[in-house]
Amino acid sequence: MKLLNLNISFEQYADIDDLSAQDQQLCLSAVQALETSYSPYSKFRVGTAIRLQNESIVLGSNQENLAYPSGLCAERVALFSIGAQYPDAVIESMAITAQTDSFEILKPITSCGGCLQVMAEFERKQHKPISVLFYCLNGEILKVPSVQSLLPFSFVEDRLER
């Protein structure tokens, strides 16, 4: 038996003003995406902004459905839009934020497992890391350098590509 350890490094920022101008803009774009959230059931709005290598910003927001499994998270809405509209685009970074009227969110929210797997697929496809910012409105921000650090055991089966 071997005992192995995984370590991840991430940056923690106390306030949006501590970020680079480019990362600040991405976080503010994620806030803008909250406006298109369709979340009448959970009342939990999520917004995502993705910056492409060509500096374009693509937005996504969560889209709920009365048949709950039919909805889609903000991250996948944005990523699938990129896949459909910009299939060869390279993703540089993405920012994710959330808001609800039911309570104050005090810490950055993170992506669900399904979104992490899709994010990992995009990173793998482009052979380049995607940095991820988890932005708590009026609070701290966590920045990870790569999706791989969030999901080190993502599902990969190279033989499926043949």
Side-chain angles (χ1 to χ4, degrees):
M1 187 216 38
K2 286 185 188 180
L3 176 62
L4 305 172
N5 290 300
L6 287 173
N7 295 308
I8 69 165
S9 296
F10 61 94
E11 299 168 3
Q12 182 179 27
Y13 297 89
D15 187 81
I16 192 170
D17 294 330
D18 297 335
L19 296 173
S20 70
Q22 196 174 40
D23 284 348
Q24 284 181 33
Q25 181 56 50
L26 197 61
C27 287
L28 294 175
S29 294
V31 173
Q32 178 187 348
L34 290 170
E35 296 173 16
T36 62
S37 169
Y38 179 70
S39 47
Y41 309 108
S42 72
K43 310 276 192 276
F44 192 83
R45 298 179 299 283
V46 181
T48 298
I50 299 177
R51 185 177 58 249
L52 304 178
Q53 192 171 43
N54 69 6
E55 298 300 318
S56 296
I57 304 286
V58 177
L59 303 181
S61 60
N62 59 321
Q63 302 296 310
E64 293 181 349
N65 190 281
L66 184 57
Y68 284 170
S70 299
L72 203 56
C73 299
E75 297 93 324
R76 284 182 276 169
V77 167
L79 288 165
F80 292 155
S81 292
I82 291 167
Q85 297 176 38
Y86 311 100
D88 298 320
V90 174
I91 297 170
E92 293 287 327
S93 61
M94 57 192 299
I96 301 142
T97 194
Q99 187 176 47
T100 180
D101 297 334
S102 301
F103 54 88
E104 182 181 5
I105 298 172
L106 301 173
K107 295 194 176 282
I109 59 108
T110 56
S111 301
C112 73
C115 285
L116 289 175
Q117 180 64 44
V118 172
M119 292 158 66
E121 179 79 13
F122 272 82
E123 189 172 84
R124 185 170 179 263
K125 176 183 162 190
Q126 70 183 27
H127 304 289
K128 185 177 187 296
I130 298 169
S131 69
V132 183
L133 295 137
F134 298 107
Y135 172 42
C136 180
L137 295 174
N138 304 311
E140 75 176 6
I141 300 102
L142 304 178
K143 182 177 181 179
V144 296
S146 168
V147 177
Q148 178 68 34
S149 60
L150 294 168
L151 191 64
F153 294 110
S154 63
F155 176 73
V156 176
E157 179 47 74
D158 294 329
R159 294 172 293 181
L160 291 173
E161 292 180 9
R162 294 186 198 143

